[in-house]
Amino acid sequence: MPPLLHICYFSLSLILLCANVEAQAPQQLRFETLTVNDGLSQGYVTSVIQDRKGLMWFGTNDGLNRYDGYTFTVYRHKPSDPASLADDAIRSVFEDSKGRLWVGTAYQGLELFDRQAGRFVHFPAKPGDGPSGKQVREISEDRFGNIWLCTSGGLDRLRIGSEGAADNYGFQQIASLPQDARFFEDQPNVLNARNATFVVGKDRIFQFLPDNQDNGRFKLRTVYRMARARDGFMPKFLEDTLSRSYLLLTEFSVVKFEDYDFKNAREIYRSDQRIVVKTVDKEGFLWIEDKGKFIRIHMISETRQEVTADPALLRFVENSANHYTDPGGVIWMPTGGFGLLKYHPARDYFHHISKGNNTYQILPLGGNRLLVNGRYLLRTGTGIYENQEGGIFPDWRSDFNRSATRAGKDQLWLNSSNGILKIDLSGKVSKAVFFQQTGLYPLYLGQNEQLWAGSDSMLVQLDTRDAHLRLHPLPRKPGVGRYTFVNQILQDKDGGLWLATVAGLLHFDPFSGKWRSFSGIPGDDQSLSHHFLLSLCADPEQPDRYLWIGTMGGGLNRLDKSTGRFDHFTMQEGLPNNTVYGILADKAGNLWMSTNKGIAYFDPKRKVFRNFTARDGLQDNEFNRYAFAKWNDTLYFGGINGINYFLPEQIRSIRPPRVFLTNFTLFNKPPDLKKSGTPRTADISYIRNIELKHNQNMIGLTFAAADYSGTGRIHYRYRLDGLEDDWVVTATSHDATYTNLDPGHYTFLAQASLDGIQWGAEQTLLTVDIIAPFWKTWYFYILLVGLVSAVLYGIYQYRLQQIMRLQQLRNRISRDLHDEIGSSLSTISIYSKVASAQLKDASANPQILLEKISENSEQAMEAMSDIIWSTHAENDQFVNIINRMREHAVQLFEAKNYVLHFTDDESVRTLKMDMEKRKDFYLIYKEALNNIVRHAQGQHVWIEIARSPVGLRLSIRDDGRGFDRSVKKPGNGIVNMQNRAKTLKGNLTLKSEPGQGSSTVLEFPV
């Protein structure tokens, strides 16, 4: 929550001291205070500035204060932190053209505050390497970017150079001073203006002329001499760009050098006591404290206004130091123990008079006089009624003067219960027209000296030249109620009359006597928005075409006379309230309206509203009908607490302020700037982008507007691009929180408005990048898609290979059945046919054929068994292969009386071998054994299965007769064995010599 700004009121007696200016009665200028109760570190404020971002900085005896319009941030000395402020007692604060913030202390010299890093660079008092004195009282900058320091030890110049990315600082004490120019014994005053540097001494003004700047020596030229100041006082020297002049502020006077000419010196103010000059504000007023009062001198007209404070606030005034006027025109007044006073001159543009009086009618009479409520004369300059007791007609009944209009200099036309009277301001009647028409309201003096008056049933026309009276019956019957039927009459250039009534809009042509009426039609959005009309105003740019109409509850209407259609402007379009009591046009073509929620300004070209309330100096938010008028360029509006009058051109269109960030939080806590890995390592107002981890997805943003004239009523809206499409309007709240943000790029934008309608430029305050975890990055998705694709492709290839292997298996089984079983069956078939034929021949002996049939049948059965065994999945275990190999060898060699030696390594039994390898391995083994049985004629066979460096080793040898490898023998057995070994990606070695037996060794990887 922002600190409360306590509204204080100065009772100001504004007395123009010029003899030809009318004296003014006291009026209240509204001040606000900022104290320790609002967050200020101490009430003793020594200096005030506003930096280029819009933040306010206050120096106190208890630290440096930063203020954003809502909250204070205080920087103090921390013994444990060498980068903290060196001294809490602040004497001066200054921001140079490069945006560096310099802080002068009372006991520790000069400080440079690196706001981006949040650390202070210290320059303690040390001749040559620092200020010449411990106390730095004043800081300024010349056109070369040099920093000038007024210290307790003298005047210094700080030159700042650059070496690479770092600055280097060179301090020079100004040494080339005349012996009699002892103006450094008190605080000197330095002014850098118009490409020159001036220093004010006790009795003269010097201008520095560079001689040898490297060693700090300068030529001094005296440009002005004055009486020597007394001890304890040092004159000040200022520049006023508005009046193009220098100002010398002595102990008892103000001297003005017009056109910056020291030969054209003229005293514009003198007192018999010491005066204190406070500031020159944006309106061109020089503020002076004299005898406990404020004197404001306008620097162009040189008129003076004396401002005396309310006794309750005298302590603030008497203890206020030099004032500061910020770029927005707000005047800040530091005090010696009571905090700050804040004053915005724009609040006094709406002059407030007749306070406490309910005003329901205003008639300007010229000469700063108003006729109020039909009987009282009020002076706008003094705010005093001339005849408050009984009015200008103390003996007349009040109903005589319900309505009035000017009849000439100091003369009025008034309505009465018996007719219309012409009187002067003393109450003397000079003409009377009596008739029986009652309830005349309002009176309107139109073209050709025709006086028009409304009533419940007639439009009354009085020719004031000959008192000829004509009555024109109204085309509508008035309703029964407490309101007059006609609220305002307005005449066109062509002579036609417009009447705003409680029953719609009427138009009367006095030449033809014809009436036209306009009313609201349900369902027709181009008819009147409400039947109860209060006010009329011709369009300031196109009066022949457009007429503006104020209604009671229907907002503002615009009639296009050429079409008879209406446009509507209501609260939805920015009007503060839909009851429009009065409408007045200014010379710039804009409209001003009084409502139940203040005064509205409307630009018909841009169709933009700007609204003002009691906080802007209005008498109240509620105004009254009939109480509005215009005299020359001044507009008057009356309400329940008096009258406001103002010049519209003074109510300048204030552009909505820019917005800046003031705080950033993660999970509702500010990150530690000095902690390693923190996403924010600098003041948030200097950061344009923040990068966060995926789990740092709850952020808070606080922002403020660079305007201090309306703190507490500034409206905000914001949007986080990447998450939100529409603005979030927060009224006067100035923070935003986002939770569970997804990884991505976000842009935070904010705007400010002084009225919630006209918004400032769209401003990008911060971009936020939340880095996605690696499993949510695009490259991870690509990798994942590739991996899934590879897996799917692998599965596809595996399935395809399985299908191909199955197909190959089928083909191989088919081939094996054809080759081994088919050939055997074919042989059996042939032998069977031959045997069958021999059975018919008694001399034949079929026994041999039958034996061959039996032999081939056994071979076919064995081949079938091998095929079935090789395809069975259980036989992939190598231990099953070994068992079959042993079983086959035993059956084969026992029948031939061989001694079998079969050994296998335990380590090979756990191996697995797929069907293809198993089949080829087993057939090689079987072929080798068959060769031994058929050809070896030995007694022993050795079979060994073991591991080898290659993988698996099968060794088969016998002690038979052997054979000569060089002699080729018919058959394909050995060739088939070699081919199967190649299929196994192994090596088959056959060795044999006649009489030495043979050996077969197979090695292949498994």
Side-chain angles (χ1 to χ4, degrees), residues 240-242 279-285 287 298 324-331 344-345 349 652:
D240 177 40
T241 57
L242 185 64
T279 189
V280 178
D281 65 24
K282 294 295 182 180
E283 306 303 315
F285 283 98
W287 290 62
H298 195 272
Y324 173 79
T325 303
D326 70 25
V330 176
I331 300 174
H344 192 242
Y349 293 153
R652 294 188 301 271

Side-chain angles (χ1 to χ4, degrees), residues 825-840 846 849-850 853:
L825 292 177
S826 297
T827 302
I828 292 172
S829 176
I830 294 171
Y831 287 156
S832 296
K833 290 179 180 180
V834 174
S836 177
Q838 289 181 355
L839 288 175
K840 295 178 181 181
L849 293 175
L850 293 175
I853 289 174

Side-chain angles (χ1 to χ4, degrees), residues 45-57:
V45 182
T46 58
S47 56
V48 180
I49 69 159
Q50 184 178 17
D51 68 18
R52 60 179 58 189
K53 288 184 177 295
L55 291 165
M56 299 301 303
W57 296 86

Side-chain angles (χ1 to χ4, degrees), residues 955-1002:
S955 174
I956 304 171
R957 61 187 177 88
D958 64 79
D959 59 354
R961 61 180 183 174
F963 62 93
D964 188 356
R965 288 292 309 275
S966 63
V967 179
K968 292 186 177 181
K969 295 184 177 181
N972 296 320
I974 294 177
V975 174
N976 288 338
M977 291 173 67
Q978 294 284 3
N979 290 335
R980 293 184 188 278
K982 289 181 180 180
T983 303
L984 291 173
K985 298 180 180 180
N987 182 43
L988 182 67
T989 304
L990 297 174
K991 294 182 179 180
S992 182
E993 292 181 7
Q996 298 297 321
S998 63
S999 69
T1000 302
V1001 178
L1002 172 67

Side-chain angles (χ1 to χ4, degrees), residues 30 53 103 146 178 225 361 384 439 446 496 524 527 559 592 636 680 699 710 793 891 942 944:
R30 295 192 288 180
K53 288 184 177 295
V103 181
N146 299 315
R225 292 182 180 273
Q361 189 184 87
I384 298 175
D524 185 355
S527 65
L559 169 65
W592 298 79
Y636 300 84
R680 171 191 147 201
I699 63 173
Y793 181 74
Q891 291 177 358
W942 290 269
E944 182 182 1

Side-chain angles (χ1 to χ4, degrees), residues 35 73 159 262 322 427 520 645 796 837 952 986:
T35 67
T73 302
R159 302 182 70 184
F262 287 100
N322 293 336
Y645 69 94
Y796 167 76
L952 186 66

